[in-house]
Amino acid sequence: MSTLEIDRARKLYGDLEVLKEVSISIATGDFLVLLGPSGCGKSTLLNMIAGLENISGGEIRIAGRVVNDLSPKDRDIAMVFQSYALYPTMTVRQNIEFGMKIRGVPQAERDKAVKTAADLLQMTHLLDRKPSQLSGGQRQRVAMGRAIVRQPKLFLFDEPLSNLDAKLRVDMRTEIKRLHARLGTTIVYVTHDQIEAMTLATRVAVMKDGVVQHLDDPQSVYDRPANVYVAKFVGSPSMNIVPARLDVEDGRPVAVIDVPGGAAARLSGIPLSSQAAAKYAGRSILLGVRPELFSVAGAQAAQAVTVNIDVVEPTGPDTLALFQAGGVEVTARVPPRAVAARTSATLAVDTGKIVLFDADNEQRID
């Protein structure tokens, strides 16, 4: 069992509280990504799991055992750092087996473990090279190999791809995902890159100011963000947050949005409980709509809005169309050449996937 349980964990530096009763629980084989901007507390939390930072309150349990007071070497973890942390005078083989060597593991067992890790990471041909002879991606493979041979209960990754160029990051994401699938190990991974989070994780914890804002599987975080902060942080382009008013017609919620130069758009078919609809009837709300929920439609299409396109940004496979609605700039993702700048367009909206937020506290309305 390689479960991880973080129970109301706190971290204080003097009077500054950088982690505020964080609680996260993952099962054996989960891939947890701690996602958030610099300063949100994600690396501090990872270091507390590793034992590199003391915990100020709460408990951290690995495989059911409280590890608050255990040293890093007694926690049965392996950590892969952003900086690789390889010994420059050693070969790849020596770097990978070094930890086993100082623990007194016999040579035959070390050789077998190094071969297994090298085969898994497709770097057998690199075993006799020094780190200076490797690319950034190859060095990261060595760091991962050194972690694999320990066969720990928990793998910890601290922004391991941030030093790589864009193409190498994509390649290494694939390698890490393949590694997780083959080994079935439990992983905790820190990043500020929401694409890494979406592609790698089985569970994502979005953090802000030392607080977990949303913990769920990646698709749920994307489709039903807990609040406006999560909605804007996850997704590229991010979710549009449009001021609107909620009306109720025949018991059904209708979002009313001001559109420049035309009649207000009225969108129905929004998923909302009858209790929430009654509570927010006639009130200002925030409407969350992903860019891909728009499509080009005919003038008589249901659940559509006619807008003036300000800017188009071709990306190749699609086009980003920017327009004003509700007093803010809105982005729609449409097919190439489907719309043109400085023209009007009627865009249908998939209202079944719209998310509503409270205009005051910015929390999702269900």
Side-chain angles (χ1 to χ4, degrees):
M1 294 289 289
S2 303
T3 58
L4 171 68
E5 298 165 281
I6 303 169
D7 185 11
R8 295 171 295 173
R10 300 175 67 217
K11 180 63 181 178
L12 291 90
Y13 294 106
D15 294 331
L16 178 63
E17 188 175 24
V18 296
L19 286 176
K20 305 167 185 176
E21 296 201 350
V22 171
S23 293
I24 297 172
S25 179
I26 59 172
T28 300
D30 266 341
F31 194 128
L32 170 69
V33 173
L34 303 177
L35 175 67
S38 297
C40 72
K42 59 188 186 298
S43 291
T44 300
L45 180 57
L46 189 79
N47 288 334
M48 285 166 54
I49 297 169
L52 303 177
E53 291 272 6
N54 293 325
I55 186 170
S56 303
E59 282 188 350
I60 296 176
R61 297 184 289 273
I62 298 175
R65 181 175 65 157
V66 177
V67 298
N68 289 27
D69 299 322
L70 294 182
S71 67
K73 68 181 178 64
D74 296 323
R75 296 193 180 201
D76 200 4
I77 60 168
M79 194 160 183
V80 179
F81 296 94
Q82 174 182 344
S83 60
Y84 317 132
L86 303 179
Y87 296 104
T89 59
M90 295 183 183
T91 65
V92 167
R93 185 190 309 276
Q94 291 168 334
N95 266 283
I96 293 174
E97 71 173 0
F98 183 71
M100 292 186 292
K101 186 175 182 179
I102 63 174
R103 293 196 306 273
V105 176
Q107 182 67 56
E109 191 174 334
R110 299 202 311 260
D111 289 345
K112 182 179 179 182
V114 169
K115 183 180 185 305
T116 299
D119 289 345
L120 187 65
L121 294 168
Q122 301 176 21
M123 60 178 188
T124 304
H125 61 294
L126 303 176
L127 288 176
D128 295 320
R129 295 188 189 180
K130 298 280 183 69
S132 61
Q133 298 171 297
L134 305 178
S135 68
Q138 289 170 336
R139 292 179 194 178
Q140 195 56 273
R141 278 192 177 91
V142 178
M144 290 164 58
R146 185 174 54 193
I148 289 170
V149 296
R150 290 202 54 191
Q151 297 183 321
K153 286 188 171 69
L154 198 62
F155 282 96
L156 306 179
F157 287 79
D158 187 11
E159 303 212 43
L161 309 185
S162 60
N163 287 337
L164 305 180
D165 62 37
K167 184 181 184 307
L168 266 179
R169 280 203 303 273
V170 173
D171 293 342
M172 286 305 298
R173 276 207 314 263
T174 303
E175 290 297 329
I176 292 172
K177 195 170 183 77
R178 185 178 290 124
L179 175 69
H180 179 247
R182 289 177 178 174
L183 297 180
T185 50
T186 307
I187 294 176
V188 181
Y189 185 107
V190 163
T191 185
H192 61 272
D193 186 328
Q194 50 96 16
I195 299 297
E196 283 181 30
M198 291 295 296
T199 55
L200 291 174
T202 61
R203 304 277 285 172
V204 176
V206 183
M207 298 185 65
K208 177 189 178 187
D209 298 333
V211 176
V212 174
Q213 303 291 316
H214 196 165
L215 173 64
D216 213 327
D217 66 90
Q219 199 61 51
S220 295
V221 171
Y222 185 83
D223 290 337
R224 302 280 295 166
N227 53 42
V228 170
Y229 172 80
V230 176
K232 288 183 174 181
F233 195 84
V234 176
S236 181
S238 63
M239 178 178 278
N240 298 293
I241 304 298
V242 185
R245 185 184 76 247
L246 188 70
D247 286 352
V248 177
E249 298 176 354
D250 299 326
R252 295 176 297 180
V254 177
V256 183
I257 306 168
D258 290 331
V259 180
R266 302 180 66 83
L267 301 177
S268 60
I270 297 170
L272 192 66
S273 68
S274 56
Q275 295 90 341
K279 178 181 178 180
Y280 285 89
R283 291 173 55 180
S284 294
I285 56 164
L286 297 173
L287 184 147
V289 55
R290 293 284 181 192
E292 63 270 19
L293 298 185
F294 292 98
S295 59
V296 179
Q300 303 303 315
Q303 312 311 324
V305 54
T306 299
V307 298
N308 296 315
I309 305 297
D310 298 322
V311 177
V312 295
E313 298 178 352
T315 67
D318 49 36
T319 291
L320 302 180
L322 281 63
F323 58 90
Q324 294 289 317
V328 299
E329 187 171 74
V330 177
T331 300
R333 191 189 297 273
V334 296
R337 302 185 180 89
V339 297
R342 297 181 297 280
T343 63
S344 66
T346 299
L347 302 177
V349 187
D350 184 352
T351 56
K353 296 181 180 179
I354 279 177
V355 184
L356 301 184
F357 302 96
D358 187 295
D360 295 323
N361 62 27
E362 298 190 343
Q363 299 298 304
R364 189 183 70 227
I365 302 169
D366 290 317

